[in-house]
Amino acid sequence: MTQRPAPLTLAERLPQHPVFGRLDETQRQALLEHLSEQAVPAGQTVGDKARLTRELHWVLEGEVQLLDGRGQPVVRLAADELFGLQLGQG
């Protein structure tokens, strides 16, 4: 049986991300002070509309499905995608 490699830390992931990788090392270190990692089991709600307008979420692994106000799927996001902070709103 092959062992799965250890997951990368947030500090290791930042330079590899298409957006965060554009930051210099000093900026990435400052950002790291404000990041936290949270595992969310499948099917669990990440947050409501109010929370998602205040926070930025980064999908590290798996998928996230965003729902509209009626609970209907709107979009499915995969690893390395961002959501929250009213992203995508004109």
Side-chain angles (χ1 to χ4, degrees), residues 4-79:
R4 188 175 174 184
L8 296 176
T9 66
L10 289 174
E12 293 168 326
R13 288 176 183 264
L14 279 175
Q16 298 175 9
H17 189 273
V19 174
F20 303 132
R22 294 175 182 257
L23 302 174
D24 66 35
E25 184 60 29
T26 301
Q27 293 168 320
R28 285 194 300 267
Q29 288 302 317
L31 178 59
L32 274 171
E33 294 176 18
H34 300 281
L35 295 179
S36 63
E37 194 169 343
Q38 176 184 358
V40 180
Q44 182 175 327
T45 300
V46 174
D48 59 19
K49 184 176 180 180
R51 181 176 174 195
L52 295 179
T53 60
R54 294 187 317 266
E55 299 174 352
L56 178 66
H57 296 263
W58 176 10
V59 181
L60 298 176
E61 294 179 8
E63 295 180 335
V64 170
Q65 189 171 22
L66 300 182
L67 309 176
D68 65 15
R70 298 175 315 224
Q72 298 301 309
V74 176
V75 67
R76 185 179 304 266
L77 303 172

